[in-house]
Amino acid sequence: MKTEDFDLFQSVLKQRSGLVLTRDKAYLLESRLTPVARRWNMKDLGELAGAIRSRRDERLLRDVTEAMTTNESSFFRDGKPFELFRQVVLPTFLKAREDTRRIRIWSAACSTGQEPYSLAMILHEEQAKLAGWSVEIVGTDLSTEVLDRARAGVYSQFEVQRGLPITHLVKYFRQQGDRWEIIPEIRRMVTYREFNLLNDLGTLGTFDVVFCRNVLIYFDQPTKTRVLEAIGRIMPPDGVLVLGGAETVLGITDRFKPMDNHRGLYQLTTAPRPQGLAVKAAG
Amino acid sequence: MKTCLVVDDSRVVRKVARKILEELSFACDEAEDGRQAMEACVRRMPDLILLDWNMPVMNGIEFLRSLRQMEGGDVPRVVFCTTENDLAHIQEALSAGANEYIMKPFDSDIVQSKLAQIGLV
């Protein structure tokens, strides 16, 4: 691939999704964007880059960004964060929110919906404790294509066999030939929205629990800081942030600190200050 | 080292499963049908049994029911691994005492994920 083409894709992806693509990941461009080029009747990535340069077609740019940012997902991915959610996070909020009986959970970059549906299944298992409570799960992703799949809640045999206990498959899915559809009761527990993590998070409202796993790894340091601090501003002082196994806040922001003995869980260091308060106070 | 008995009438499937399980640090033994599997369990109960459904002589579900009646037969974790991919078969297997269920075709990711479900990896 020509250097100027790589640079163009790199710049488009950084600008639109925050994704930082280094030279050693050039193969990812080839494998993920070649199908996009074919869909647009172009012969290769050189022609695709040329088309981006000559006509900044929004649909084309969107296709390119989505192809590069769509990541694999599985039910109860990595296991532990979901155990911690059930054993630590949920009981904490059942106590802390006794007065309002309302909990909001955000699954950021939820891809095809396995993470928010896993959370919904846990909540369903705990439903006896949640009678009279309003628990909202919001799943967001940059890609409309994966959100359409998430909303449909239909998965392949391969997808339902990774991470999902067989008892959950029997209880929470209906079989349609070789596909498995999540039951309406679970599907209704999740609301999906198209959302770019680089945009203003304030439009989403506040969240008690934020799952933002395996997203930050694609960002450069300043973008990681920016996104984490923005997340901190839409969480209450006792909110819990869940990051992926390879991610940390250390050296990126001091707004969050790891929770003792609960790997992957983070809490705010201090109550977040609303944006603009310092300016107002100074004025 | 944990032990696994791979029960399948297909030599190819046994070979593939054995390779995956050995990479997950299991010591593997093989049986071609339910009766051979019973004999192996009488000699020594494995920690895990990967079990096909349709086999000559004694099929997987008959084997599982007999196993769960045997002394010590409640110990092995049993994971079906079969082309019987419908809900009715899955429910029947769970009622008979299966711990997990793999729908063929399978790969090492699926095997690993299923064994993680039952605390074996």
Side-chain angles (χ1 to χ4, degrees), chain A residues 106-179:
Chain A
W106 178 23
S107 169
C110 68
S111 190
T112 39
Q114 284 93 330
E115 182 174 87
Y117 286 138
S118 299
L119 293 168
M121 285 185 258
I122 293 173
L123 293 171
H124 193 272
E125 296 284 307
E126 303 287 327
Q127 62 179 332
K129 296 174 192 161
L130 289 162
W133 284 69
S134 153
V135 185
E136 191 185 350
I137 306 170
V138 179
T140 66
D141 202 282
L142 181 70
S143 158
T144 47
E145 195 181 325
V146 296
L147 285 177
D148 285 345
R149 281 206 55 209
R151 285 189 188 102
V154 179
Y155 298 93
S156 70
Q157 184 172 292
F158 183 75
E159 288 170 313
V160 297
Q161 296 207 86
R162 290 167 75 219
L164 190 70
I166 194 69
T167 45
H168 280 47
L169 181 71
V170 170
K171 193 170 173 183
Y172 296 120
F173 290 78
R174 282 186 197 143
Q175 191 170 19
Q176 301 175 333
D178 60 351
R179 315 281 291 170

Coordinates of all heavy atoms in Angstrom, one line a residue, chain A residues 106-179:
Chain A
W106 N -24.5 1.6 31.3 CA -24.1 1.9 29.9 C -23.1 0.8 29.4 O -22.0 0.6 30.0 CB -23.5 3.3 29.8 CG -23.0 3.7 28.5 CD1 -23.4 3.2 27.3 CD2 -22.0 4.7 28.2 NE1 -22.8 3.8 26.2 CE2 -21.9 4.7 26.8 CE3 -21.3 5.5 29.0 CZ2 -21.0 5.6 26.1 CZ3 -20.4 6.4 28.3 CH2 -20.3 6.4 26.9
S107 N -23.4 0.2 28.3 CA -22.4 -0.7 27.6 C -21.9 0.1 26.4 O -22.6 0.2 25.4 CB -23.2 -2.0 27.2 OG -22.3 -2.7 26.3
A108 N -20.7 0.7 26.6 CA -20.1 1.5 25.6 C -19.4 0.7 24.5 O -18.7 -0.3 24.9 CB -19.1 2.5 26.2
A109 N -19.6 1.0 23.3 CA -19.1 0.2 22.2 C -19.5 -1.3 22.3 O -18.7 -2.2 22.4 CB -17.6 0.3 22.1
C110 N -20.8 -1.4 22.3 CA -21.4 -2.7 22.6 C -21.4 -3.7 21.5 O -21.8 -4.9 21.6 CB -22.9 -2.5 23.1 SG -24.0 -2.0 21.8
S111 N -21.0 -3.3 20.3 CA -20.9 -4.1 19.1 C -22.2 -4.8 18.9 O -23.3 -4.2 18.9 CB -19.7 -5.1 19.3 OG -19.5 -5.8 18.1
T112 N -22.2 -6.2 18.7 CA -23.5 -6.8 18.3 C -24.4 -7.2 19.5 O -25.3 -8.0 19.3 CB -23.1 -8.1 17.5 OG1 -22.0 -8.7 18.0 CG2 -22.8 -7.7 16.0
G113 N -24.1 -6.6 20.6 CA -25.1 -6.7 21.7 C -24.8 -7.8 22.8 O -25.6 -7.9 23.8
Q114 N -23.8 -8.6 22.6 CA -23.5 -9.6 23.6 C -23.3 -9.1 25.0 O -23.8 -9.7 26.0 CB -22.4 -10.5 23.2 CG -22.7 -11.5 22.1 CD -22.3 -10.9 20.7 OE1 -22.4 -9.7 20.5 NE2 -22.0 -11.8 19.8
E115 N -22.6 -8.0 25.2 CA -22.3 -7.5 26.5 C -23.6 -7.0 27.2 O -23.9 -7.4 28.3 CB -21.3 -6.4 26.5 CG -20.9 -5.8 27.8 CD -19.8 -4.8 27.8 OE1 -20.1 -3.6 27.6 OE2 -18.6 -5.3 27.9
P116 N -24.4 -6.1 26.6 CA -25.6 -5.6 27.2 C -26.6 -6.8 27.5 O -27.3 -6.8 28.5 CB -26.2 -4.6 26.3 CG -25.5 -4.7 25.0 CD -24.2 -5.3 25.3
Y117 N -26.7 -7.7 26.6 CA -27.6 -8.9 26.8 C -27.1 -9.8 27.9 O -27.9 -10.3 28.7 CB -27.8 -9.7 25.5 CG -28.7 -9.0 24.5 CD1 -28.4 -9.0 23.1 CD2 -29.9 -8.3 24.9 CE1 -29.2 -8.4 22.2 CE2 -30.7 -7.7 23.9 CZ -30.3 -7.7 22.6 OH -31.1 -7.1 21.7
S118 N -25.8 -9.9 28.1 CA -25.3 -10.7 29.2 C -25.7 -10.0 30.5 O -26.1 -10.7 31.5 CB -23.7 -10.7 29.1 OG -23.3 -11.4 28.0
L119 N -25.6 -8.7 30.6 CA -26.0 -7.9 31.8 C -27.5 -8.1 32.0 O -27.9 -8.3 33.1 CB -25.6 -6.4 31.6 CG -24.1 -6.1 31.6 CD1 -23.9 -4.7 31.1 CD2 -23.5 -6.4 32.9
A120 N -28.2 -8.1 30.9 CA -29.7 -8.2 31.1 C -30.0 -9.6 31.6 O -30.9 -9.8 32.5 CB -30.4 -8.0 29.7
M121 N -29.3 -10.6 31.2 CA -29.5 -12.0 31.7 C -29.2 -12.1 33.2 O -29.9 -12.7 34.0 CB -28.7 -13.0 30.9 CG -29.3 -13.3 29.5 SD -28.4 -14.6 28.6 CE -27.4 -13.7 27.5
I122 N -28.1 -11.4 33.6 CA -27.8 -11.4 35.0 C -28.9 -10.7 35.8 O -29.3 -11.2 36.9 CB -26.4 -10.7 35.3 CG1 -25.3 -11.4 34.7 CG2 -26.2 -10.4 36.8 CD1 -23.9 -10.7 34.7
L123 N -29.4 -9.6 35.3 CA -30.4 -8.9 36.0 C -31.7 -9.7 36.1 O -32.4 -9.8 37.1 CB -30.8 -7.6 35.3 CG -29.6 -6.5 35.4 CD1 -30.0 -5.3 34.5 CD2 -29.4 -6.0 36.8
H124 N -31.9 -10.5 35.0 CA -33.1 -11.4 35.0 C -33.0 -12.5 36.1 O -33.9 -12.8 36.8 CB -33.3 -12.0 33.7 CG -34.7 -12.6 33.5 ND1 -34.9 -13.9 33.8 CD2 -35.8 -12.1 33.1 CE1 -36.1 -14.2 33.6 NE2 -36.8 -13.1 33.2
E125 N -31.7 -13.0 36.2 CA -31.5 -14.0 37.2 C -31.7 -13.5 38.6 O -32.0 -14.2 39.6 CB -30.0 -14.5 37.1 CG -29.7 -15.3 35.8 CD -30.3 -16.7 35.7 OE1 -30.0 -17.4 36.6 OE2 -31.0 -17.0 34.7
E126 N -31.5 -12.2 38.8 CA -31.6 -11.5 40.1 C -32.9 -10.8 40.3 O -33.1 -9.9 41.1 CB -30.4 -10.5 40.3 CG -29.1 -11.1 40.1 CD -28.6 -12.0 41.3 OE1 -29.1 -11.7 42.5 OE2 -27.9 -13.0 41.1
Q127 N -33.9 -11.1 39.4 CA -35.1 -10.3 39.4 C -35.9 -10.3 40.7 O -36.6 -9.3 40.9 CB -36.0 -10.8 38.2 CG -36.5 -12.2 38.4 CD -37.4 -12.6 37.2 OE1 -38.1 -11.8 36.6 NE2 -37.5 -13.9 36.9
A128 N -35.8 -11.3 41.5 CA -36.5 -11.3 42.8 C -36.1 -10.1 43.6 O -36.9 -9.5 44.3 CB -36.2 -12.6 43.5
K129 N -34.8 -9.7 43.5 CA -34.3 -8.6 44.3 C -34.6 -7.3 43.6 O -34.5 -6.2 44.2 CB -32.8 -8.7 44.4 CG -32.3 -9.9 45.2 CD -30.8 -9.9 45.1 CE -30.3 -11.3 45.6 NZ -28.9 -11.6 45.2
L130 N -35.1 -7.3 42.4 CA -35.3 -6.1 41.6 C -36.7 -5.7 41.4 O -37.0 -4.8 40.6 CB -34.6 -6.2 40.3 CG -33.0 -6.2 40.3 CD1 -32.4 -6.8 39.1 CD2 -32.5 -4.8 40.6
A131 N -37.6 -6.4 42.1 CA -39.1 -6.1 42.0 C -39.3 -4.6 42.4 O -38.8 -4.2 43.4 CB -39.9 -7.0 42.8
G132 N -39.9 -3.8 41.5 CA -40.2 -2.4 41.8 C -39.0 -1.5 41.4 O -39.1 -0.3 41.6
W133 N -38.0 -2.1 40.9 CA -36.8 -1.2 40.5 C -36.9 -0.9 39.0 O -37.5 -1.7 38.2 CB -35.5 -2.0 40.7 CG -35.1 -2.0 42.2 CD1 -35.7 -2.7 43.2 CD2 -34.0 -1.3 42.8 NE1 -35.1 -2.4 44.4 CE2 -34.0 -1.6 44.1 CE3 -33.0 -0.5 42.3 CZ2 -33.1 -1.1 45.0 CZ3 -32.1 0.0 43.1 CH2 -32.1 -0.3 44.5
S134 N -36.3 0.2 38.6 CA -36.2 0.5 37.2 C -34.7 0.4 36.8 O -33.9 1.2 37.3 CB -36.7 1.9 36.9 OG -36.0 2.5 35.8
V135 N -34.3 -0.6 36.1 CA -32.9 -0.8 35.7 C -32.8 -0.6 34.2 O -33.5 -1.4 33.4 CB -32.3 -2.1 36.1 CG1 -30.8 -2.2 35.8 CG2 -32.6 -2.4 37.6
E136 N -32.1 0.4 33.7 CA -32.0 0.6 32.3 C -30.6 0.2 31.8 O -29.6 0.6 32.4 CB -32.2 2.1 32.1 CG -32.4 2.5 30.6 CD -32.6 4.0 30.5 OE1 -32.7 4.7 31.5 OE2 -32.5 4.5 29.3
I137 N -30.6 -0.5 30.7 CA -29.3 -0.8 30.1 C -29.3 -0.1 28.7 O -30.2 -0.3 27.9 CB -29.1 -2.3 29.9 CG1 -29.3 -3.1 31.2 CG2 -27.7 -2.6 29.3 CD1 -29.3 -4.6 31.0
V138 N -28.3 0.7 28.5 CA -28.1 1.4 27.2 C -26.9 0.9 26.5 O -25.8 0.9 27.1 CB -28.0 2.9 27.4 CG1 -27.8 3.6 26.1 CG2 -29.2 3.5 28.1
G139 N -27.0 0.4 25.3 CA -25.9 -0.1 24.5 C -25.6 0.9 23.4 O -26.6 1.3 22.7
T140 N -24.4 1.3 23.2 CA -24.1 2.2 22.1 C -22.9 1.7 21.3 O -22.1 1.0 21.8 CB -23.7 3.7 22.7 OG1 -22.5 3.6 23.4 CG2 -24.7 4.3 23.5
D141 N -22.9 2.1 20.1 CA -21.8 1.8 19.2 C -21.8 2.8 18.1 O -22.8 3.4 17.8 CB -21.9 0.3 18.6 CG -20.6 -0.2 18.2 OD1 -20.1 0.2 17.1 OD2 -20.0 -1.0 19.0
L142 N -20.6 2.9 17.5 CA -20.4 3.8 16.4 C -21.1 3.3 15.1 O -21.5 4.0 14.2 CB -18.9 3.8 16.2 CG -18.2 4.7 15.1 CD1 -18.4 6.1 15.5 CD2 -16.7 4.3 15.1
S143 N -21.2 1.9 15.0 CA -21.6 1.3 13.8 C -23.1 1.0 13.8 O -23.6 0.3 14.6 CB -20.8 0.0 13.6 OG -21.5 -0.9 12.7
T144 N -23.8 1.5 12.7 CA -25.2 1.2 12.6 C -25.4 -0.3 12.3 O -26.4 -0.9 12.7 CB -25.9 2.1 11.5 OG1 -25.0 2.0 10.4 CG2 -26.0 3.5 11.9
E145 N -24.5 -0.8 11.5 CA -24.6 -2.2 11.1 C -24.6 -3.1 12.3 O -25.5 -4.0 12.4 CB -23.4 -2.5 10.2 CG -23.6 -3.8 9.4 CD -22.4 -4.1 8.5 OE1 -21.8 -3.1 8.0 OE2 -22.1 -5.2 8.3
V146 N -23.7 -3.0 13.2 CA -23.7 -3.9 14.4 C -24.9 -3.6 15.3 O -25.4 -4.5 15.9 CB -22.3 -3.8 15.2 CG1 -21.2 -4.3 14.4 CG2 -22.1 -2.5 15.8
L147 N -25.3 -2.3 15.3 CA -26.5 -2.1 16.2 C -27.7 -2.7 15.6 O -28.6 -3.2 16.4 CB -26.7 -0.5 16.3 CG -25.7 0.1 17.3 CD1 -25.9 1.6 17.3 CD2 -25.7 -0.4 18.7
D148 N -27.8 -2.8 14.3 CA -29.0 -3.5 13.7 C -29.0 -4.9 14.1 O -30.0 -5.5 14.5 CB -28.9 -3.4 12.2 CG -29.3 -2.0 11.7 OD1 -29.9 -1.2 12.5 OD2 -29.0 -1.7 10.5
R149 N -27.8 -5.5 14.2 CA -27.7 -6.9 14.6 C -28.0 -7.1 16.1 O -28.6 -8.0 16.5 CB -26.2 -7.5 14.3 CG -26.0 -7.8 12.9 CD -24.9 -8.9 12.8 NE -25.3 -10.0 13.6 CZ -24.4 -10.8 14.2 NH1 -23.1 -10.6 14.0 NH2 -24.8 -11.9 14.9
A150 N -27.5 -6.1 16.9 CA -27.8 -6.1 18.3 C -29.3 -6.1 18.6 O -29.8 -6.8 19.4 CB -27.1 -5.0 19.0
R151 N -29.9 -5.1 17.9 CA -31.4 -5.0 18.1 C -32.1 -6.2 17.7 O -33.1 -6.6 18.3 CB -31.9 -3.8 17.2 CG -31.5 -2.5 17.8 CD -32.2 -1.3 17.1 NE -31.7 0.0 17.6 CZ -30.8 0.7 16.9 NH1 -30.4 0.3 15.7 NH2 -30.4 1.8 17.4
A152 N -31.7 -6.9 16.6 CA -32.4 -8.1 16.1 C -32.2 -9.2 17.2 O -33.1 -10.0 17.4 CB -31.8 -8.5 14.8
G153 N -31.0 -9.2 17.8 CA -30.7 -10.3 18.8 C -30.7 -11.7 18.3 O -31.1 -12.6 19.0
V154 N -30.3 -11.9 17.1 CA -30.2 -13.2 16.5 C -28.7 -13.6 16.3 O -28.0 -12.8 15.7 CB -30.9 -13.3 15.1 CG1 -30.8 -14.6 14.5 CG2 -32.4 -12.9 15.3
Y155 N -28.3 -14.7 16.8 CA -26.9 -15.1 16.8 C -26.7 -16.5 16.1 O -27.6 -17.3 16.1 CB -26.4 -15.1 18.2 CG -26.5 -13.7 18.8 CD1 -27.6 -13.3 19.6 CD2 -25.5 -12.8 18.6 CE1 -27.7 -12.1 20.1 CE2 -25.6 -11.5 19.1 CZ -26.7 -11.1 19.9 OH -26.8 -9.9 20.4
S156 N -25.5 -16.7 15.6 CA -25.2 -18.0 15.0 C -24.9 -19.0 16.1 O -24.7 -18.7 17.3 CB -24.0 -17.8 14.1 OG -22.8 -17.6 14.9
Q157 N -24.9 -20.2 15.7 CA -24.6 -21.3 16.6 C -23.2 -21.1 17.2 O -23.0 -21.4 18.4 CB -24.7 -22.7 15.8 CG -24.5 -23.9 16.7 CD -24.7 -25.1 15.9 OE1 -25.8 -25.4 15.5 NE2 -23.7 -25.9 15.6
F158 N -22.3 -20.7 16.4 CA -20.9 -20.4 16.9 C -20.9 -19.3 18.0 O -20.3 -19.5 19.0 CB -20.0 -20.0 15.7 CG -18.6 -19.8 16.1 CD1 -17.8 -20.8 16.3 CD2 -18.1 -18.5 16.2 CE1 -16.5 -20.7 16.7 CE2 -16.8 -18.3 16.6 CZ -15.9 -19.4 16.8
E159 N -21.7 -18.3 17.7 CA -21.7 -17.1 18.7 C -22.3 -17.5 20.0 O -21.9 -17.1 21.1 CB -22.5 -15.9 18.1 CG -21.7 -15.2 17.0 CD -22.5 -14.2 16.3 OE1 -23.6 -14.5 15.9 OE2 -22.0 -13.1 16.1
V160 N -23.4 -18.4 20.0 CA -24.0 -18.7 21.3 C -23.3 -19.8 22.1 O -23.6 -20.2 23.2 CB -25.5 -19.2 21.1 CG1 -26.3 -18.1 20.5 CG2 -25.6 -20.4 20.3
Q161 N -22.2 -20.3 21.5 CA -21.4 -21.3 22.2 C -20.2 -20.8 22.8 O -19.4 -21.5 23.4 CB -21.0 -22.4 21.2 CG -22.2 -23.2 20.7 CD -21.9 -24.6 20.3 OE1 -22.0 -25.5 21.1 NE2 -21.6 -24.8 19.1
R162 N -19.9 -19.5 22.7 CA -18.7 -18.9 23.3 C -19.2 -18.0 24.5 O -19.8 -17.0 24.3 CB -18.0 -18.0 22.3 CG -17.3 -18.9 21.2 CD -16.9 -18.1 20.0 NE -15.7 -17.3 20.3 CZ -15.4 -16.1 19.9 NH1 -16.3 -15.5 19.2 NH2 -14.3 -15.5 20.2
G163 N -18.9 -18.5 25.7 CA -19.2 -17.7 26.9 C -20.5 -17.9 27.5 O -20.7 -17.6 28.6
L164 N -21.5 -18.4 26.7 CA -22.8 -18.6 27.2 C -23.1 -20.0 27.8 O -22.9 -21.0 27.1 CB -23.8 -18.3 26.0 CG -25.3 -18.2 26.4 CD1 -25.5 -16.8 27.1 CD2 -26.1 -18.2 25.1
P165 N -23.4 -20.0 29.1 CA -23.7 -21.4 29.7 C -24.9 -22.0 28.9 O -25.8 -21.3 28.5 CB -24.1 -21.1 31.1 CG -23.7 -19.7 31.4 CD -23.6 -19.0 30.1
I166 N -24.9 -23.3 28.8 CA -26.0 -24.0 28.0 C -27.4 -23.7 28.7 O -28.4 -23.6 28.0 CB -25.7 -25.5 27.8 CG1 -26.6 -26.1 26.8 CG2 -25.8 -26.3 29.1 CD1 -26.3 -25.7 25.4
T167 N -27.4 -23.6 30.0 CA -28.6 -23.4 30.7 C -29.2 -22.0 30.3 O -30.4 -21.9 30.2 CB -28.4 -23.4 32.2 OG1 -27.2 -22.6 32.5 CG2 -28.2 -24.8 32.7
H168 N -28.3 -21.1 30.0 CA -28.8 -19.7 29.6 C -29.3 -19.8 28.2 O -30.3 -19.1 27.8 CB -27.7 -18.7 29.7 CG -27.5 -18.2 31.1 ND1 -27.4 -19.0 32.2 CD2 -27.3 -16.9 31.5 CE1 -27.2 -18.2 33.3 NE2 -27.2 -17.0 32.9
L169 N -28.7 -20.6 27.3 CA -29.1 -20.7 25.9 C -30.6 -21.3 25.9 O -31.5 -20.8 25.2 CB -28.2 -21.7 25.1 CG -28.6 -21.9 23.7 CD1 -28.4 -20.6 22.9 CD2 -27.9 -23.0 23.1
V170 N -30.8 -22.3 26.7 CA -32.1 -22.9 26.8 C -33.2 -21.9 27.4 O -34.3 -21.9 26.9 CB -32.0 -24.2 27.7 CG1 -33.4 -24.7 28.0 CG2 -31.2 -25.3 27.0
K171 N -32.7 -21.2 28.4 CA -33.7 -20.3 29.0 C -34.0 -19.0 28.3 O -35.1 -18.5 28.3 CB -33.1 -20.0 30.4 CG -34.0 -19.3 31.4 CD -33.3 -19.3 32.8 CE -34.1 -18.5 33.8 NZ -33.4 -18.4 35.1
Y172 N -32.9 -18.4 27.6 CA -33.1 -17.1 27.1 C -33.1 -17.0 25.6 O -33.1 -15.8 25.1 CB -32.0 -16.2 27.7 CG -32.1 -16.0 29.2 CD1 -31.0 -16.4 30.0 CD2 -33.2 -15.4 29.8 CE1 -31.1 -16.3 31.4 CE2 -33.3 -15.3 31.1 CZ -32.3 -15.7 31.9 OH -32.4 -15.6 33.3
F173 N -33.1 -18.1 24.9 CA -33.0 -18.0 23.4 C -34.1 -19.0 22.8 O -34.5 -19.9 23.4 CB -31.7 -18.5 22.9 CG -30.6 -17.4 23.1 CD1 -30.0 -17.4 24.4 CD2 -30.2 -16.6 22.1 CE1 -29.0 -16.4 24.6 CE2 -29.2 -15.6 22.4 CZ -28.6 -15.6 23.6
R174 N -34.5 -18.6 21.6 CA -35.4 -19.4 20.9 C -34.7 -19.9 19.6 O -34.0 -19.1 19.0 CB -36.7 -18.6 20.4 CG -37.7 -18.4 21.4 CD -38.9 -17.7 20.7 NE -39.8 -17.1 21.6 CZ -40.4 -16.0 21.4 NH1 -40.2 -15.3 20.3 NH2 -41.2 -15.5 22.3
Q175 N -34.9 -21.1 19.2 CA -34.1 -21.6 18.1 C -34.9 -21.3 16.8 O -36.1 -21.5 16.7 CB -33.9 -23.1 18.2 CG -33.0 -23.7 17.2 CD -32.6 -25.1 17.6 OE1 -33.3 -25.8 18.3 NE2 -31.5 -25.6 17.0
Q176 N -34.2 -20.8 15.8 CA -34.8 -20.6 14.5 C -33.8 -21.3 13.5 O -32.9 -20.7 13.0 CB -34.8 -19.1 14.1 CG -35.5 -18.2 15.0 CD -35.4 -16.8 14.5 OE1 -34.4 -16.4 13.9 NE2 -36.3 -15.9 14.9
G177 N -34.0 -22.5 13.2 CA -33.1 -23.3 12.3 C -31.7 -23.3 13.0 O -31.6 -23.8 14.1
D178 N -30.7 -22.8 12.3 CA -29.4 -22.9 12.9 C -29.0 -21.5 13.6 O -27.9 -21.3 13.9 CB -28.3 -23.3 11.9 CG -28.2 -22.3 10.8 OD1 -29.1 -21.4 10.7 OD2 -27.3 -22.4 10.0
R179 N -30.0 -20.7 13.8 CA -29.8 -19.4 14.4 C -30.5 -19.4 15.8 O -31.5 -20.2 16.0 CB -30.4 -18.2 13.6 CG -30.0 -18.3 12.1 CD -28.6 -17.8 11.8 NE -28.5 -16.4 12.0 CZ -27.3 -15.8 12.0 NH1 -26.2 -16.5 11.8 NH2 -27.2 -14.5 12.2

